[in-house]
Amino acid sequence: MVVRFGVLGPVSAEVDGRPARLGGPRQRAVLAVLLIARGRVVSAEQIVSAVWEGLAPPSPTTLQAYVSELRKALEPGREVRAPGRLLVREGPGYALRAAPADVDAECFTDLAARGRRAMEAGEHEKAEDLLGRALELWRGPAYAEFAEAGFAVPEAARLEDLRAGVREDRLAAMIELGRPAESVGPLEVLVGEHPLRERGWELLALAQYRAGRQADALATLRAVRRSLADELGIEPGPALRSLESAMFAQDTRLDPVEAPRPRSSPPSAPPAAASGHSGNLPFSLSAFVGREPDLELTGRLLAEHRLVTLTGPGGVGKTRLSLETARLRRDADGPWLVELAGMQEPGLLPSVVAAALGIPGTATAEQLAAVLADRETLLLLDNCEHLVAPVAETVAVLLSRCGGLRVLATSREPLGLSGEAVHEVQPLDPAGDAAELFLRRASAALPGWAPDDAERAGVVALCAKLDGIPLALELAAAQCRMLSVAQISDALHDGFDVLVGGPSGPDRHRTLENTVAWSHRLLEPAERRLFHRLGVFAGPFDLEAAGAVAGVSPVLPPLAALVRKSLLAVEPGTAPRRYRMLETLRQYALRGLDPEDLAPAGRRHRAWVLARAEAAERRLRGPEAADLLAMLGEEQAEIRTAFTSAAAEGDGEYMLRLAGALYWFWYRKGHIAEGLSWLADAFALAPDADPGVRARARAGFGGLLYLEGRFQEAYETSLVAEEEARQAGDPVTEALAALYKPYMGVLAGAHLDVPALLSHAVEVAGRSGEQWLTTEALMVQGMIGRVLGDPSSADVLARAVAVGRACGHDWAMGSAVWSSMKTALDHGDGRRALALTGELLDMLERHVDVTSWLVLLHTSAHALAVAGQGGRAALLMGAVDAVGRRVGFSPEVMDPFDGPREAAAVRESLPPEKYERLLAEGRRLSRQEANALLAESSVRAGGTPDLVGGP
């Protein structure tokens, strides 16, 4: 099935050549937002903000309904429970995995770039053909029906500007092919539509001159001079002034060229199609220049070897070559990009790789291999040089156990594995691809620039000085906004002799460092200071973070300067805006940071991370939980950097404080192994830390041990945490430990006076004044009461639901509802248990919860089995098994009282062969498909009843 999208006109789609029904304006706007994102994940909140701009937001189900209808229209043959491959849900948002060749705007961009390259190579016939085909793709204004919509205006303006440039290029090709008279009419139309684009006027005057209309040509130049003076108060640019001088001098270079004789030529090849609709490769933001032999060789190596590593100095273009190679693959799944530049902790490598594939929480390479065993896919590991040993170890496990897997890695040194094919990526040829790359990027920085022969010769010399390193070329080209080619070359020669090597490394590497140093020297002192301090960030950051970590106020002026000077990039589509630094630049910034400034910058970074985490922790059990959990997820690179930095300095107390603030995030998101690892290290480093700090961290430690099914350790941990909190005078942590102590004790089989301990815990929680704590105390009392057969447990759970709803503690309220589901199942009422899932499922999706979501599905499967729907129950159990293995969490292990009984009930509801078949089918369900199955079952059971009522 082929799905093609059109945005060069009204938004449209075709499925196998037939128009798809895309629905009304809002539904089409949702599709437009995803098309503009070019494969990036757009959060549900961002989609709603864009589509309903200025209006009251709709209910969450409205967006879900639109997405569902779009999926039906775009993937009509998809089975009900089959995973989506085109419009996919990832984390808190959605992405459209359309291949570039299937979107007319991307085809247009590709044809435009190829046409421009043909023009620059003097292949004017080929250029006219390519550019003509590009223009034929247009059916009207870009995103026509959304011309006034804020989300579409920037992208539509970009495409319209590119369209005008293509029209100019095509008419220029016609002039060079000896058809100036034919081009005059279209050029007159063009300058009428775009009177301030100087190149259109230049081409019109040239066409008139070559058509024998010299007087008209000079009149055209006078007209554009008046227009620019009246509208902008400026003189014509160098190209127009040079053309005018040449006309007055009757320069022979302006003489008409002879039209070539017609000849047949093979049609140009269409843009290469991407390999399917899965994967996570970003769309290209600029044309890929040169590297055809490298591209062919890398593709051939990947066809012959299962591990290919691209090596070479930083900035040589390894990442871009790997991405372009991956786009040409046609594997059944993927390709999947894993960016390792911000990765600092080797032990987390399998988790990071798994998260990139949409399976976060996997703790070991073996677990990841179990998931990938039957998949035919390409894994692209980018920037491996600082993790060579752990990457090699992980790749060895994956390749040995996953026969359909191929790995393409980029690194400054080989991984050293048997069977590895290594290709060293060389710099670009200064007189060829390097010069073309520089000219293309300089033209983007300075639109309308038309270098003469002397400037082109200067570009070749400059590229030779920069050793053809693409990053160096792009940094230099960006300066064309302020400096001429000669000035750039002089700056390199006078300030940074590129032929002088640094203390270590190959000459090319030292040349790249000198190029970055040159850009760095152009900064003002405040900008330079900010640049170095921002190097401590491991990933993207926002304005507030930049100010806090850099210790600069106000931070906006120097930060804006760094963006202008191409030393920081803005991440599009982020609100508030987030910024990132290229990895090579970040390394340079850190190396240049004064040792006396490095330690304070690291401390400020750790303090900022801790402040963010502690501020969030105080509100994670309230109505802001969903947003705060998402925020902490975005800051994982910084959090891990802070832990690593603190561990290196032996600051265990800091690690305990940070872990104490983050454990609830780890608990909800299923990062169990990671949380336990950091906590263990922190306790080992700071056994004598402040009792209050130890108590909070230990309470979290106990919660994570509970999720792993280590109940005796969890119980003992709660005893110590309660005592430490009492010593520190921390009533909230003391109450938290006290209320979970009997729960863990019951699970561990300890002999306790459980009713007395529970009553005391509820009383202490009430005295704390924290409603969320009271909710959890009532929840625990009701849950244990149900297990022990206390008839009042249903009323206690109802109170927990009421208090939790009032204070916004959705998780505790949901856990009480989960226990109420079990109460209903104790009475054999599967329909009521299913009816209770509706609101709980919505809450868990808002929070993108992992552990509680798995627990809900496990119990819901039991309810389905009791209600006589064993097939659906087995499907849900399959989903629980698949996701649970990925994150290292088992509801059956965590819940020894009911988990085994629930699993047995589902297993016994079907004949063995049917159960195994449906279980395997369920393992292939996506989270969204499992949710849809459960939501439908809940509605069939009668919707969501009064959650405060008893069974």
Side-chain angles (χ1 to χ4, degrees):
M1 182 179 70
V2 177
V3 184
R4 300 190 184 279
F5 296 92
V7 300
L8 304 179
V11 173
S12 64
E14 291 183 352
V15 180
D16 288 336
R18 294 187 296 273
R21 299 174 64 88
L22 300 179
R26 299 278 183 219
Q27 187 167 301
R28 299 168 73 88
V30 171
L31 177 61
V33 169
L34 295 174
L35 283 164
I36 289 172
R38 293 191 181 93
R40 297 188 303 275
V41 175
V42 185
S43 71
E45 181 181 359
Q46 288 174 315
I47 296 174
V48 169
S49 176
V51 174
W52 283 269
E53 182 180 14
L55 303 174
S59 67
T61 55
T62 301
L63 176 59
Q64 294 171 8
Y66 283 164
V67 170
S68 177
E69 290 301 314
L70 286 171
R71 282 179 174 148
K72 291 178 184 177
L74 300 175
E75 298 183 76
R78 184 172 67 94
E79 297 181 7
V80 175
R81 291 186 295 274
R85 294 180 60 84
L86 186 58
L87 206 171
V88 299
R89 178 69 184 262
E90 291 189 10
Y94 299 90
L96 187 69
R97 299 303 189 202
D102 293 336
V103 182
D104 62 358
E106 301 299 328
C107 293
F108 170 73
T109 302
D110 179 82
L111 287 166
R114 292 163 59 201
R116 169 57 71 91
R117 288 200 296 269
M119 282 287 292
E120 293 172 350
E123 299 173 329
H124 299 117
E125 287 182 276
K126 180 180 179 182
E128 184 188 16
D129 173 59
L130 290 167
L131 297 168
R133 286 163 51 197
L135 292 171
E136 288 173 359
L137 294 173
W138 287 75
R139 299 169 287 109
Y143 294 93
E145 65 266 63
F146 304 113
E148 304 300 323
F151 70 84
V153 168
E155 177 65 6
R158 182 188 73 85
L159 290 169
E160 293 290 352
D161 185 70
L162 184 58
R163 180 188 190 185
V166 169
R167 291 168 68 186
E168 292 169 349
D169 285 345
R170 181 169 179 267
L171 291 166
M174 291 172 59
I175 294 171
E176 293 301 324
L177 289 169
R179 290 150 46 204
E182 183 182 340
S183 65
V184 169
L187 280 166
E188 289 175 335
V189 173
L190 181 63
V191 298
E193 295 174 358
H194 303 281
L196 300 182
R197 291 181 66 96
E198 293 190 33
R199 187 166 182 242
W201 290 100
E202 177 190 345
L203 291 171
L204 175 58
L206 178 63
Q208 290 169 330
Y209 186 93
R210 289 188 174 178
R213 298 166 52 183
Q214 285 84 355
D216 290 340
L218 291 172
T220 293
L221 293 174
R222 289 194 296 271
V224 67
R225 184 182 291 274
R226 287 195 303 271
S227 177
L228 292 173
D230 293 343
E231 295 292 332
L232 302 177
I234 62 174
E235 287 290 311
L240 277 171
R241 294 199 303 270
S242 176
L243 178 63
E244 186 176 38
S245 300
M247 286 183 180
F248 280 123
Q250 295 188 342
D251 193 317
T252 57
R253 289 179 297 177
L254 300 183
D255 290 347
V257 296
E258 182 180 353
R261 296 179 179 179
R263 61 183 178 88
S264 60
S265 61
S268 301
S275 57
H277 299 298
S278 66
N280 66 342
L281 296 188
F283 283 96
S284 301
L285 300 181
S286 59
F288 184 55
V289 177
R291 297 280 193 210
E292 284 84 5
D294 287 305
L295 198 60
E296 180 183 357
L297 174 59
T298 308
R300 189 168 69 250
L301 289 174
L302 263 181
E304 298 170 357
H305 305 269
R306 296 181 58 215
L307 170 61
V308 177
T309 303
L310 303 181
T311 64
V316 79
K318 301 184 294 293
T319 296
R320 186 62 188 270
L321 176 59
S322 69
L323 288 170
E324 297 302 325
T325 301
R327 288 191 181 98
L328 297 176
R329 297 280 302 176
R330 287 174 172 80
D331 301 287
D333 178 36
W336 298 97
L337 170 64
V338 184
E339 298 175 313
L340 299 177
M343 174 74 184
Q344 298 296 328
E345 179 57 41
L348 299 177
L349 180 62
S351 300
V352 172
V353 175
L357 274 73
I359 45 177
T362 299
T364 67
E366 289 75 12
Q367 292 173 347
L368 181 58
V371 178
L372 298 177
D374 298 322
R375 290 164 68 167
E376 180 185 338
T377 190
L378 173 66
L379 191 61
L380 200 170
L381 302 177
D382 190 35
N383 287 304
C384 302
E385 52 269 4
H386 60 306
L387 298 166
V388 170
V391 168
E393 180 180 349
T394 299
V395 169
V397 172
L398 295 179
L399 291 177
S400 67
R401 302 189 182 191
C402 308
L405 176 67
R406 292 178 187 273
V407 176
L408 177 59
T410 71
S411 177
R412 295 182 189 179
E413 61 179 297
L415 300 184
L417 291 176
S418 176
E420 178 185 27
V422 179
H423 173 46
E424 182 176 357
V425 181
Q426 299 293 330
L428 299 174
D429 175 15
D433 290 340
E436 181 179 359
L437 175 63
F438 182 93
L439 290 169
R440 294 290 298 277
R441 300 302 187 254
S443 296
L446 190 66
W449 178 49
D452 57 24
D453 292 342
E455 284 180 310
R456 286 181 176 273
V459 167
V460 172
L462 176 61
C463 292
K465 283 187 174 183
L466 296 176
D467 274 353
I469 299 289
L471 175 59
L473 298 172
E474 300 209 18
L475 287 171
Q479 301 303 326
C480 284
R481 287 173 287 189
M482 299 182 296
L483 303 173
S484 69
V485 173
Q487 285 177 306
I488 295 171
S489 184
D490 289 341
L492 284 171
H493 176 74
D494 294 337
F496 313 97
D497 189 344
V498 297
L499 300 179
V500 174
S504 64
D507 287 343
R508 289 189 301 272
H509 191 193
R510 297 198 294 272
T511 299
L512 175 60
E513 290 181 346
N514 283 337
T515 303
V516 179
W518 162 77
S519 257
H520 170 262
R521 289 287 181 89
L522 296 178
L523 299 176
E524 296 296 328
E527 299 165 4
R528 190 177 302 123
R529 185 164 54 250
L530 177 63
F531 170 70
H532 284 296
R533 293 178 180 179
L534 292 179
V536 301
F537 282 105
F541 52 87
D542 60 21
L543 187 65
E544 178 189 358
V549 173
V552 174
S553 181
V555 73
L556 183 57
L559 187 139
L562 294 178
V563 172
R564 285 197 311 272
K565 296 175 182 179
S566 303
L567 292 170
L568 280 183
V570 180
E571 292 210 320
T574 53
R577 284 286 181 262
R578 290 173 72 84
Y579 311 91
R580 61 180 174 83
M581 188 179 287
L582 292 174
E583 179 60 18
T584 303
L585 296 176
R586 190 179 80 86
Q587 292 176 6
Y588 181 89
L590 280 176
R591 283 197 298 270
L593 188 58
D594 191 303
E596 294 184 358
D597 204 12
L598 177 59
R603 287 194 294 270
R604 286 193 298 269
H605 180 266
R606 293 196 297 274
W608 170 76
V609 170
L610 181 61
R612 289 274 274 189
E614 289 186 334
E617 190 268 341
R618 289 190 289 270
R619 296 173 289 158
L620 278 176
R621 286 173 160 98
E624 300 175 77
D627 291 338
L628 293 171
L629 288 169
M631 180 274 291
L632 290 173
E634 290 178 352
E635 302 295 355
Q636 278 297 281
E638 307 306 329
I639 288 168
R640 287 163 179 160
T641 296
F643 269 120
T644 302
S645 171
E649 293 198 4
D651 192 352
E653 184 151 345
Y654 173 90
M655 296 173 68
L656 287 173
R657 285 187 63 187
L658 185 56
L662 288 172
Y663 85 85
W664 191 239
F665 166 78
W666 291 330
Y667 186 106
R668 298 289 304 277
K669 294 293 187 177
H671 299 307
I672 304 166
E674 179 178 356
L676 289 173
S677 175
W678 287 127
L679 279 160
D681 290 347
F683 279 119
L685 284 171
D688 300 320
D690 178 86
V693 174
R694 293 202 312 270
R696 289 181 64 198
R698 208 176 302 274
F701 196 45
L704 297 176
L705 289 170
Y706 156 68
L707 290 182
E708 275 211 335
R710 296 157 64 179
F711 306 124
Q712 183 62 39
E713 294 174 75
Y715 170 59
E716 294 169 356
T717 298
S718 66
L719 294 176
V720 178
E722 183 181 18
E723 179 57 31
E724 288 173 334
R726 186 179 298 114
Q727 293 175 12
D730 181 352
V732 173
T733 303
E734 181 183 355
L736 187 66
L739 73 91
Y740 283 107
K741 176 176 64 177
Y743 188 71
M744 303 301 178
V746 169
L747 292 173
H751 299 290
L752 303 171
D753 186 353
V754 174
L757 288 173
L758 288 171
S759 297
H760 173 69
V762 172
E763 180 184 347
V764 172
R767 288 201 304 267
S768 73
E770 298 284 351
Q771 288 295 298
W772 68 264
L773 199 54
T774 299
T775 306
E776 291 195 24
L778 291 169
M779 173 201 78
V780 170
Q781 185 180 33
M783 291 170 70
I784 297 182
R786 174 196 152 260
V787 171
L788 299 180
D790 184 349
S792 67
S793 63
D795 293 334
V796 175
L797 291 171
R799 285 176 57 203
V801 171
V803 177
R805 193 189 301 278
C807 69
H809 191 5
D810 289 347
W811 176 84
M813 181 187 73
S815 295
V817 172
W818 171 59
S819 193
S820 296
M821 289 175 62
K822 295 188 174 193
T823 302
L825 290 170
D826 292 340
H827 293 80
D829 193 346
R831 287 182 60 83
R832 174 173 173 78
L834 288 170
L836 287 167
T837 63
E839 184 174 354
L840 181 52
L841 186 60
D842 288 342
M843 179 273 290
L844 294 174
E845 279 307 286
R846 286 197 310 274
H847 293 208
V848 198
D849 184 289
V850 175
T851 51
S852 297
W853 177 75
L854 288 170
V855 165
L856 171 64
L857 259 61
H858 200 274
T859 300
S860 298
H862 181 202
L864 284 166
V866 171
Q869 301 180 52
R872 287 173 170 248
L875 288 170
L876 281 190
M877 275 300 189
V880 171
D881 180 65
V883 178
R885 288 177 184 274
R886 294 171 195 166
V887 302
F889 172 68
S890 168
E892 188 172 343
V893 172
M894 183 215 73
D895 184 14
F897 290 122
D898 297 303
R901 177 169 63 98
E902 292 173 349
V906 175
R907 188 168 53 252
E908 294 166 4
S909 67
L910 295 170
E913 289 185 2
K914 185 175 182 180
Y915 170 77
E916 292 296 337
R917 178 173 58 80
L918 291 173
L919 191 71
E921 188 176 339
R923 292 190 182 105
R924 296 191 292 271
L925 291 179
S926 68
R927 177 166 178 149
Q928 290 69 39
E929 289 162 341
N931 286 343
L933 189 154
L934 181 54
E936 182 182 353
S937 301
S938 175
V939 171
R940 286 183 177 182
T944 303
D946 181 7
L947 299 183
V948 182

